[in-house]
Structure formats: C-alpha cells, structure tokens
Amino acid sequence: MYKYLSNLLIFIISINGSADFIKLSPEDTLTIPLPLPYDEKIVTSVQLNAFINDSIAKEMQPVIIFGGNWCPDCRILEGTMQIQTIKEFLQEHYQIMHIDIGRYDRNMELMNHLNIESKKGVPRVVILNLKKEVLNSSTSSEWTSARERKQQEIFNYFQEYVIKN
C-alpha cells in the first residue's frame, strides 16, 4: 500500500513538473523603478481576438494581463517579468498583451469576453493554449498579491502553464 502511494506521489510530482522548473540565480533581481506597462487605451474585442490569433499563428501562447499603473502588484508582477531569465523564457513561449482597466472603468468587458469573471482585483493574468482555451481560469486572479510573492514563485507559475512540445 505504502509503495503504491509513494509511486503515485512521484508520478504526481513528475506530472506537475515542479522539479523541472528553471531556477533563478542570485543576479535575477527586481530593478527599480518598476515598469509602467499600461497605456490607458481602450481595447476592443476585435483587437483582443487579433492579438490571440496572431500569437497562435506564431505558435506562441497568448497571455493577457489586466491591470493599471496605479496598482503596486501590477508593477511588481511586470518588474518580475522583466528579470532577464524570466523575460527570455516568456519571449520564447508567450506573447503578452497588457490591458489597462483604469479604475475598474475601462476594458472590463474583455474579461467576460475571455470567460473570466469581471471583478475587482488586479493584476489578472489569463493564459491561453493554442486552441484559444483559458488554462488558468481558476487562478487568473492569484497575482493580486504579487508584492507578497517571491520572484521564483511568479516564474514557476508561468513555467507551469507553458505548453511543452
């Protein structure tokens, strides 16, 4: 019985892939000032669909990040994504679109367009596969506390959802 359970645990760990995650080095740190990735523009569903289709045509997974420059968690998440090791990984696997939500009065309907509950709390990270399916709908709002997370934890999240060839 115990042998079966230990084999099952090893199988679950290998499926999760956490042992295969790229580890950050001590040189991989946040730089200050933190980036301001949001541009205050209105994005239409047509533009969002074009971004998704273009990403998939390039065999890159689309990532949509809802947020605002006023949000410290959004800026910390973006700053973490700009760490060189993470940035290179993201550029290899994903195309990323930032969508400004203003003070929850801009582009909010695009969350519904992606079948993500439109609610307060940012950043909201939406990761799709190449079939336009949202992979992380249950955890899309997980990064509203990015300032409390370690950079490795954020990096692992993106590594977890990458489609392996």
Side-chain angles (χ1 to χ4, degrees):
M1 172 82 165
Y2 293 111
K3 184 177 179 180
Y4 172 76
L5 289 176
S6 68
N7 287 342
L8 180 62
L9 181 58
I10 290 168
F11 176 74
I12 290 170
I13 290 171
S14 67
I15 291 287
N16 185 6
S18 60
D20 297 332
F21 286 160
I22 299 166
K23 301 294 182 205
L24 296 173
S25 73
E27 293 82 34
D28 290 316
T29 59
L30 277 175
T31 58
I32 304 297
L34 292 169
L36 300 166
Y38 300 95
D39 60 11
E40 299 182 6
K41 292 183 180 173
I42 299 295
V43 178
T44 67
S45 58
V46 171
Q47 291 169 313
L48 177 57
N49 287 338
F51 166 77
I52 292 169
N53 291 333
D54 179 61
S55 299
I56 292 170
K58 294 175 182 173
E59 296 188 2
M60 304 285 283
Q61 284 178 254
V63 174
I64 299 93
I65 304 176
F66 294 90
N69 289 335
W70 53 266
C71 169
D73 293 298
C74 296
R75 295 184 65 198
I76 288 170
L77 176 65
E78 182 64 22
T80 300
M81 292 168 56
Q82 295 302 317
I83 293 172
Q84 194 60 37
T85 301
I86 299 172
K87 182 178 182 175
E88 289 171 6
F89 177 87
L90 294 174
Q91 288 174 338
E92 182 179 336
H93 299 285
Y94 296 112
Q95 276 201 248
I96 299 171
M97 176 183 219
H98 293 87
I99 298 181
D100 194 318
I101 52 89
R103 294 285 182 173
Y104 302 105
D105 60 355
R106 183 182 306 126
N107 297 315
M108 292 294 289
E109 69 285 352
L110 294 176
M111 287 186 205
N112 293 328
H113 182 74
L114 294 168
N115 294 319
I116 300 295
E117 184 182 358
S118 177
K119 62 181 181 181
K120 291 186 177 184
V122 287
R124 299 286 296 279
V125 177
V126 182
I127 302 172
L128 289 84
N129 64 19
L130 300 180
K131 296 178 184 175
K132 302 180 186 180
E133 299 165 331
V134 175
L135 299 177
N136 66 326
S137 59
S138 65
T139 61
S140 70
S141 62
E142 184 167 318
W143 300 109
T144 58
S145 59
R147 71 184 104 176
E148 298 169 5
R149 306 296 188 85
K150 295 187 181 338
Q151 285 83 29
Q152 184 68 55
E153 185 180 357
I154 294 171
F155 188 25
N156 289 353
Y157 185 81
F158 285 99
Q159 291 183 77
E160 178 180 344
Y161 285 101
V162 75
I163 296 172
K164 301 194 178 29
N165 295 332

